[in-house]
Amino acid sequence: MPEERDYRWRESGARIRQARTKVGLTQKEVSELLGVSAHAVWCWEAGKNKPSGEHLVELASRCEVSTDWLLGREVVEAEVLDEAEVSFRNSVAGLPLEDLEEIQHFIDFVRQQRRRKR
């Protein structure tokens, strides 16, 4: 049984790394934001140690994911999309129209690139 829990934590460590890199943070930057050592962040990502509940919540917030996702719990795709939509809306709230148009151009560009890859 302990082996199974360790395996599950390694998966969560991989998710922590994925979330961190998705938002462009280094282990050192995460350590500074959370007030822990860079080695502690490395240990979390390697599945050697678990972050405290407080650190897990802060990490999820900084990386714009849910704590459930970091812990490897299944999340219904619609919930993930809802979180992404809310995050996006919060990010663009109050931006001038010209910035919103620029973001739309970028979205169109990303879609074109994705189509070309297929």
Side-chain angles (χ1 to χ4, degrees):
M1 197 63 109
E3 260 182 49
E4 185 178 315
R5 272 188 257 137
D6 290 344
Y7 175 77
R8 207 169 51 213
W9 186 245
R10 283 193 302 267
E11 180 182 327
S12 295
R15 285 180 178 230
I16 289 172
R17 179 184 176 111
Q18 182 182 351
R20 171 182 62 78
T21 58
K22 180 189 85 171
V23 294
L25 293 173
T26 65
Q27 287 180 343
K28 183 172 179 17
E29 290 168 331
V30 168
S31 73
E32 291 169 355
L33 289 169
L34 301 182
V36 299
S37 70
H39 181 72
V41 176
W42 178 87
C43 287
W44 298 343
E45 291 183 2
K48 304 280 185 196
N49 293 327
K50 301 174 187 177
S52 69
E54 180 182 320
H55 289 136
L56 191 66
V57 169
E58 182 66 20
L59 184 62
S61 175
R62 298 282 183 163
C63 294
E64 301 174 353
V65 296
S66 69
T67 54
D68 280 344
W69 186 84
L70 285 176
L71 293 171
R73 296 182 181 137
E74 293 302 316
V75 179
V76 178
E77 187 174 335
E79 290 175 325
V80 173
L81 292 175
D82 287 344
E83 285 182 26
E85 185 177 342
V86 168
S87 177
F88 182 76
R89 284 184 182 178
N90 289 339
S91 297
V92 299
L95 289 177
L97 182 57
E98 61 194 27
D99 289 351
L100 294 174
E101 289 171 348
E102 190 68 29
I103 291 168
Q104 184 60 54
H105 290 302
F106 180 72
I107 291 170
D108 294 341
F109 170 78
V110 169
R111 285 183 174 150
Q112 284 178 342
Q113 294 301 313
R114 186 167 298 230
R115 280 188 220 116
R116 287 182 186 160
K117 287 181 182 178
R118 291 181 189 163

